[in-house]
Amino acid sequence: MNRRRDARVGILFATPWIVGFGLLMAYPLISSFVTSFTNFSVLRAPKWIGTENYRELANDGVFHTSLQNTLLYALGAVPLGTVLAIGLAMLLNSKVRGMPVYRTLLFLPTLVPMVAQATLFLWVFNGDYGLLNAALRWCGLSPPNWLGDPMWAKWTLVMIAVWGSGQAMLIYLAGLQDVPTSLYEAADLDGAKSWAKTRHITLPMISPVILFNVIMGIIGSIQVFAVPQVMFPGGAPARSTYMFAMYLYDNAFLYQRMGYASAMGWIMFLVILALTLVALRLSERHVHYETQ
Amino acid sequence: MTNRAIVGFSFVLAVVVSAALLGDRVVRRDAKPGRVTVLYWEKWTGQEGEEMRKVVDAYNRSQDRVFVKYLSISGVDQKTILASGGGNPPDVAGIWQDQVFQFADLGALTDLSSMAKAAGLGRDYYIHAYYDALSRDGRLWALPSTPASIALHVRPDLVPKRVATPETFPETLEELDALSDEISKQNPDGSLVLAGFLPSNPGWWHYAWGPLFGADLFKDGRPTVDSPESVRAFTWVARYAKRFGPQAVQNFQSGFGNFSSPQDPFMTGKVAMELNGVWKANYIHVYKPDLPWFAVPFPYPKDRPDLKGHTILSQDVLVVPAGAKHPNEAFDFIRFVQRQDVMEGLCASHGKNSPLNRVSERFFRTHPNKAIRLFDQLARSSHPIYPSRNGFFPRVNGELNNAFQEVNTGVKEPAQALRDAQVRIDGLWKTYRTQVADS
């Protein structure tokens, strides 16, 4: 009797989550999947068109461009962000006076809202009077026009991505602090140098954390939207910064092609799923779990 | 059920009920008891928004049957569509002219023709081009709120004296190009100091370059961007990038401030001649009131004298979304805005020309733009250029913008960029006809 009553109470308390999940997650997911097989402009009833949206996507040059831009962005942003975040976490894990101040300072950029961040970097990367180019010119270099040159604009976004490394850095720091000091002491006894300790102790011990952050990084990179949308409206110059999520947004809200945008959403899901599976597969031999 | 569970459940219930009640208060429309409330969403903010609020207040005072509830909203176009889809659109929405037929094709707008006819708001009440830009096949989808015409703005202190007046300024594009070459200044390293003219500044009407050379973007009902006239126009655009070097132009432009700031390149003297709208004078008046300038019609190709006096037109418009709760009352408000005294007051406060055929002498005399007669005259041009009356226009515009960037950055040659744009447009047009226009 008690168990049944407890179950009822449990379900009752879980109801807000169940309702929230059903209305805000499950229903939209199923709905978008069905919508991806329709022609739907919001104002007229959806019309079933089978796989037409997916067939059109296969031949859509701009879709291919946006996918390629996004993958290149992820390819640059994820490794760069990972290396930087691990490096910073290691520095912040050392025993130096005033460490809480350094930790706060390095985490602060993560708190800057994305639109403010984009606006700030429009100034930093300005080809004429930007801070970066002023510094490069001072070094005697001839810097490019980061925002106006199709060859450089995408890589500007990659560089901006590392600005948000604070979140990952914090997780790496927590992982580093969990590495048993006895391992380092044993390595010291064996005469291991600093790089050897990093390679054979630190990195293997935080490898599950690295895997987690890489997967989150992949998901975030494929969905990148706000910063390029503010800095490079319409994917300018010449669609060199036109990201997947921007094209999806334009189809949904600029051209009212909800079916097409839904199909794009599902392709995005499949791309993220595939990349996550690849990451998991590649990690099998390199990730060390303490329970193993 | 334990006492704790009952308390918890009651709390959740209280939150849900409060949210429902408060939510209802937020979306409730009835602003004034006994009057029909017309909900009006407008894109304008700041001073422009305030000027429209004055018109709304005047309307609300002028009668006691309808009350217009005015809301300044960002992203008004997308929100109107989504609200219409959800069955709760505003009664009046202020959108942009180039969206009118896209919205009409989607079934998002109410046909205003019969109401306009009954109110005496026919084609002859307006400058024809403004009315024509909003109607198709005898159906009227919107009426103007404030219009604009576009002209070449010139800094007389940056051009030679022989051309420093509207009367002596060059009339043909070839002369404009020569003048631009003559006055542009580059440093020995190639960096620009002064550009006579740049097609990429401010870069708001790339769809119009082809028509300025005589192209028809919807030739025989088919979107066409690779016509010889368009290729000629984009070759002319490329000439400027090649003359200065694409890299030099990009670097130079990245130093331009916002058009609505004192760092605007025309005001700072980085650009001597600029294609811009009637509103330009507003910003000059605010940021550099002593700046010398004059406006002239944009030059025409020497071998096409028939295009002389052509101009680009744009307008902000008022529409009644499909499914609006009070379309008749909504139109009553729109009709009020179209009254000559109201319209002239609104347009003058926005620094725009009037869309109406009859314009009072007082409007010209008191208007803040010293060149307002020219802008009025341009609006009456026999060669007006405005967004095509086709719901597919935003796609054509998007592809032309991209082609322009490809040409201006030297990524592609003009013919290639337009050919690629045409291929893409052909595919999109086929889908559009199947999925939107013919459905």
Side-chain angles (χ1 to χ4, degrees):
Chain A
M1 246 348 238
N2 269 351
R3 283 188 62 185
R4 191 176 291 176
R5 198 186 64 188
D6 287 349
R8 267 209 310 269
V9 172
I11 289 170
L12 195 63
F13 273 98
T15 304
W17 181 87
I18 294 169
V19 171
F21 177 78
L23 286 178
L24 303 175
M25 293 290 288
Y27 171 71
L29 274 173
I30 296 164
S31 175
S32 82
F33 185 68
V34 175
T35 304
S36 74
F37 295 100
T38 65
N39 165 28
F40 181 42
S41 68
V42 179
L43 289 152
R44 293 186 179 132
K47 194 173 164 189
W48 186 264
I49 54 169
T51 55
E52 188 53 45
N53 286 328
Y54 290 94
R55 270 209 292 270
E56 194 183 329
L57 276 173
N59 298 310
D60 183 343
V62 177
F63 167 71
H64 295 153
T65 303
S66 69
L67 185 59
Q68 189 186 337
N69 286 342
T70 310
L71 290 174
L72 281 172
Y73 169 79
L75 198 69
V78 175
L80 197 64
T82 304
V83 170
L84 190 83
I86 292 175
L88 289 174
M90 283 177 167
L91 284 176
L92 293 181
N93 197 35
S94 53
K95 290 179 176 55
V96 180
R97 270 185 69 182
M99 191 50 81
V101 177
Y102 299 133
R103 286 176 184 168
T104 308
L105 286 176
L106 284 169
F107 185 72
L108 269 181
T110 313
L111 303 177
V112 178
M114 283 198 190
V115 174
Q117 187 183 321
T119 310
L120 173 76
F121 280 110
L122 278 173
W123 287 87
V124 172
F125 284 96
N126 187 292
D128 194 33
Y129 50 77
L131 199 65
L132 179 64
N133 277 7
L136 292 173
R137 280 193 204 103
W138 187 77
C139 296
L141 297 169
S142 175
N145 187 320
W146 303 98
L147 307 176
D149 189 333
M151 203 175 81
W152 288 101
K154 208 173 1 266
W155 305 111
T156 306
L157 286 172
V158 171
M159 284 187 269
I160 293 169
V162 300
W163 176 259
S165 298
Q167 198 91 40
M169 178 196 75
L170 208 67
I171 299 171
Y172 285 125
L173 185 60
L176 285 172
Q177 293 186 341
D178 261 0
V179 180
T181 47
S182 57
L183 295 178
Y184 293 114
E185 287 161 6
D188 284 338
L189 288 176
D190 290 341
K193 297 275 187 259
S194 177
W195 170 242
K197 282 192 279 187
T198 303
R199 197 176 153 205
H200 298 293
I201 299 173
T202 310
L203 292 178
M205 289 305 287
I206 64 163
S207 56
V209 183
I210 296 176
L211 177 65
F212 169 78
N213 272 334
V214 165
I215 288 173
M216 296 310 284
I218 289 171
I219 293 171
S221 300
I222 303 293
Q223 293 178 340
V224 65
F225 177 74
V227 173
Q229 180 79 356
V230 174
M231 289 184 73
F232 304 100
R239 291 196 175 123
S240 59
T241 57
Y242 207 28
M243 297 294 169
F244 199 103
M246 292 163 77
Y247 191 43
L248 189 156
Y249 175 88
D250 284 350
N251 272 298
F253 299 108
L254 211 56
Y255 307 125
Q256 274 73 45
R257 297 193 69 196
M258 291 293 171
Y260 199 66
S262 295
M264 284 190 72
W266 280 92
I267 299 280
M268 182 193 271
F269 168 73
L270 291 177
V271 168
I272 291 173
L273 185 70
L275 290 175
T276 305
L277 288 175
V278 168
L280 285 171
R281 190 69 193 265
L282 290 175
S283 72
E284 276 171 7
R285 275 189 299 161
H286 303 289
V287 176
H288 165 81
Y289 293 99
E290 282 192 71
T291 49
Q292 281 175 343
Chain B
M1 198 180 281
T2 62
N3 284 344
R4 223 194 269 175
I6 290 168
V7 170
F9 183 70
S10 306
F11 177 72
V12 170
L13 197 69
V15 169
V16 170
V17 171
S18 310
L21 289 175
L22 286 173
D24 180 60
R25 275 185 74 116
V26 169
V27 299
R28 195 184 294 163
R29 285 165 174 252
D30 306 335
K32 291 272 175 183
R35 292 170 77 167
V36 175
T37 300
V38 164
L39 193 59
Y40 169 26
W41 289 359
E42 182 52 79
K43 61 192 162 300
W44 290 320
T45 54
Q47 192 55 34
E48 289 179 325
E50 278 311 304
E51 296 300 336
M52 191 49 158
R53 186 182 297 283
K54 286 179 193 165
V55 172
V56 169
D57 290 344
Y59 174 74
N60 286 337
R61 281 195 306 271
S62 72
Q63 42 74 52
D64 57 7
R65 196 174 66 84
V66 181
F67 183 84
V68 175
K69 191 174 169 185
Y70 175 72
L71 289 173
S72 181
I73 281 184
S74 65
V76 67
D77 45 351
Q78 292 165 10
K79 284 173 186 162
T80 299
I81 287 275
L82 292 176
S84 300
N88 193 23
D91 299 298
V92 182
I95 61 170
W96 292 270
Q97 173 195 332
D98 57 355
Q99 298 173 313
V100 166
F101 293 97
Q102 183 194 11
F103 280 34
D105 282 0
L106 289 167
L109 301 182
T110 304
D111 179 6
L112 306 178
S113 4
S114 56
M115 289 187 280
K117 195 176 171 190
L121 301 175
R123 186 171 184 254
D124 288 341
Y125 186 72
Y126 297 92
I127 293 174
H128 287 172
Y130 288 127
Y131 183 91
D132 292 345
L134 306 175
S135 59
R136 185 180 64 190
D137 302 329
R139 303 176 86 178
L140 179 70
W141 296 108
L143 282 171
S145 47
T146 58
S149 50
I150 318 298
L152 187 71
H153 290 65
V154 183
R155 288 273 305 263
D157 54 327
L158 298 178
V159 297
K161 274 197 176 141
R162 66 174 195 281
V163 293
T165 64
E167 295 73 30
T168 55
F169 194 80
E171 289 192 347
T172 67
L173 275 174
E174 288 74 6
E175 289 169 313
L176 173 78
D177 296 342
L179 176 61
S180 176
D181 288 350
E182 182 186 340
I183 62 175
S184 296
K185 288 178 193 157
Q186 282 180 283
N187 286 322
D189 64 359
S191 60
L192 269 159
V193 179
L194 168 70
F197 176 78
L198 285 175
S200 48
N201 175 56
W204 295 331
W205 302 283
H206 295 325
Y207 81 87
W209 294 126
L212 283 167
F213 280 79
D216 180 358
L217 294 182
F218 277 81
K219 207 173 183 178
D220 305 322
R222 173 184 171 255
T224 309
V225 298
D226 65 346
S227 64
E229 293 88 355
S230 288
V231 172
R232 187 181 169 196
F234 272 60
T235 306
W236 173 78
V237 164
R239 177 194 179 280
Y240 278 85
K242 284 176 181 166
R243 160 84 171 73
F244 302 122
Q247 179 84 27
V249 173
Q250 288 161 29
N251 284 342
F252 188 53
Q253 282 204 269
S254 61
F256 289 3
N258 191 281
F259 75 96
S260 59
S261 76
Q263 284 77 42
D264 169 77
F266 184 76
M267 289 191 240
T268 52
K270 288 185 172 182
V271 173
M273 299 172 283
E274 180 184 278
L275 188 64
N276 218 317
V278 60
W279 56 78
K280 182 83 188 179
N282 281 2
Y283 298 106
I284 294 174
H285 182 68
V286 171
Y287 297 115
K288 281 209 172 161
D290 298 330
L291 189 84
W293 67 277
F294 65 84
V296 289
F298 194 71
Y300 57 91
K302 196 177 175 183
D303 58 350
R304 292 293 305 268
D306 55 312
L307 297 174
K308 184 179 177 180
H310 56 182
T311 190
I312 304 167
L313 300 181
S314 72
Q315 50 185 328
D316 293 315
V317 299
L318 296 172
V319 296
V320 177
K325 302 280 188 295
H326 308 294
N328 293 324
E329 287 78 6
F331 189 80
D332 192 60
F333 168 67
I334 295 176
R335 185 192 56 76
F336 179 80
V337 179
Q338 309 303 306
R339 246 171 55 180
Q340 189 180 352
D341 57 335
V342 177
M343 182 60 87
E344 287 187 0
L346 181 66
C347 291
S349 67
H350 280 209
K352 309 263 187 79
N353 52 306
S354 168
L356 306 185
N357 201 4
R358 284 181 56 184
V359 184
S360 71
E361 189 52 35
R362 186 174 172 276
F363 177 76
F364 290 128
R365 229 180 29 246
T366 57
H367 199 283
N369 189 328
K370 65 183 181 185
I372 190 63
R373 284 181 199 276
L374 169 75
F375 288 100
D376 178 75
Q377 181 197 325
L378 284 172
R380 296 168 197 273
S381 154
S382 53
H383 298 291
I385 295 165
Y386 47 77
S388 312
R389 292 177 293 178
N390 191 303
F392 189 68
F393 174 77
R395 301 306 291 255
V396 172
N397 192 31
E399 292 309 316
L400 282 172
N401 278 337
N402 184 57
F404 181 93
Q405 287 167 19
E406 289 173 337
V407 168
N408 199 47
T409 52
V411 172
K412 285 181 186 171
E413 286 299 314
Q416 184 63 47
L418 290 173
R419 208 164 30 245
D420 291 348
Q422 185 65 52
V423 170
R424 176 154 169 78
I425 282 171
D426 285 342
L428 291 169
W429 175 237
K430 197 175 156 199
T431 308
Y432 185 82
R433 288 186 60 186
T434 319
Q435 297 191 357
V436 182
D438 297 341
S439 64

